[in-house]
Amino acid sequence: MDEKETLRVGVAVRRLRRSLGLTLAVVAERSGLSVPFLSQVENERARPSARSLQRVADALDTTVAELYDAADCARTVDVVRAEPDGGGHGVRALLRGHHQLHAMEFTGEQDTGREFQHRNDELMYVADGAAEVEAEGRAYRLERGDTLCLSGGVRHRWRAALPGTRILVVAVADHIEAIEETRH
């Protein structure tokens, strides 16, 4: 890892701190580091020593390795290539690292029989085939190109209705607290 990449850990620190709802002052108190130093780390103006980074990780209830993993996603561009054989049947993550959303591709016959209820919003897009979704007691049939948006808290279950169905599911990550906008 080169020096420029190492500095990008500050972006990961800031994202995690904010997602936990912590102020710089709280992290400073927990880590024993100063607010100005933590601000410089988050803004990539200071490079923390291994010891300082460990103290920050401890203050955020994570590990240095997880901070470095999250730093990888701080890059502005990350390409996840398609499976060489087209993917076949199964589930494939469409993102790497720690983001503010989850994106998955489900291919083939999927019928877990499970009911889901997520804290945050979710979007389902049928790329190929068809799917049957039950949400809050109502049934929906989605065809190729259809999109279904579920608000956080909506109980739902779904299954592929045709062989070769491909569904993309994008959801706000669990570690993000969705905030309703109030209009003035």
Side-chain angles (χ1 to χ4, degrees):
M1 182 175 303
D2 64 24
E3 184 175 322
K4 187 174 182 183
E5 242 178 72
T6 301
L7 287 175
R8 298 194 63 76
V9 75
V11 173
V13 169
R14 181 174 50 242
R15 281 186 182 161
L16 180 57
R17 176 183 61 78
R18 286 180 176 169
S19 73
L20 295 171
L22 301 176
T23 64
L24 278 172
V26 169
V27 176
E29 183 180 324
R30 288 182 180 181
S31 67
L33 301 170
S34 72
V35 170
F37 175 70
L38 290 171
S39 177
Q40 288 178 342
V41 168
E42 286 189 0
N43 290 300
E44 299 177 2
R45 291 190 191 113
R47 182 175 169 184
S49 67
R51 177 153 167 67
S52 292
L53 192 55
Q54 181 62 57
R55 290 166 71 177
V56 170
D58 291 343
L60 296 172
D61 294 323
T62 191
T63 65
V64 171
E66 287 176 346
L67 286 175
Y68 278 126
D69 286 346
D72 286 343
C73 75
R75 295 183 186 130
T76 56
V77 177
D78 186 20
V79 176
V80 177
R81 300 283 180 196
E83 304 281 326
D85 63 356
H89 286 48
V91 180
R92 178 172 78 102
L94 300 175
L95 296 171
R96 285 185 283 248
H98 192 70
H99 294 276
Q100 295 183 10
L101 57 93
H102 293 291
M104 305 293 288
E105 176 184 54
F106 296 87
T107 305
E109 309 265 339
Q110 299 285 332
D111 185 5
T112 64
R114 286 181 47 200
E115 185 174 65
F116 299 95
Q117 183 178 25
H118 306 293
R119 184 173 95 177
N120 292 323
D121 296 349
E122 179 177 321
L123 176 126
M124 295 179 73
Y125 171 77
V126 179
D128 289 308
E132 293 174 354
V133 180
E134 183 184 316
E136 295 293 319
R138 291 187 59 196
Y140 302 89
R141 181 169 174 94
L142 303 176
E143 303 288 336
R144 182 173 185 248
D146 289 345
T147 301
L148 176 81
C149 184
L150 301 164
S151 296
V154 171
R155 292 183 180 280
H156 62 284
R157 70 177 82 222
W158 64 272
R159 71 176 193 84
L162 296 172
T165 294
R166 224 171 34 119
I167 298 172
L168 306 179
V169 175
V170 179
V172 175
D174 292 334
H175 69 277
I176 302 297
E177 185 67 41
I179 300 171
E180 280 189 45
E181 282 188 41
T182 55
R183 301 190 187 254
H184 299 287

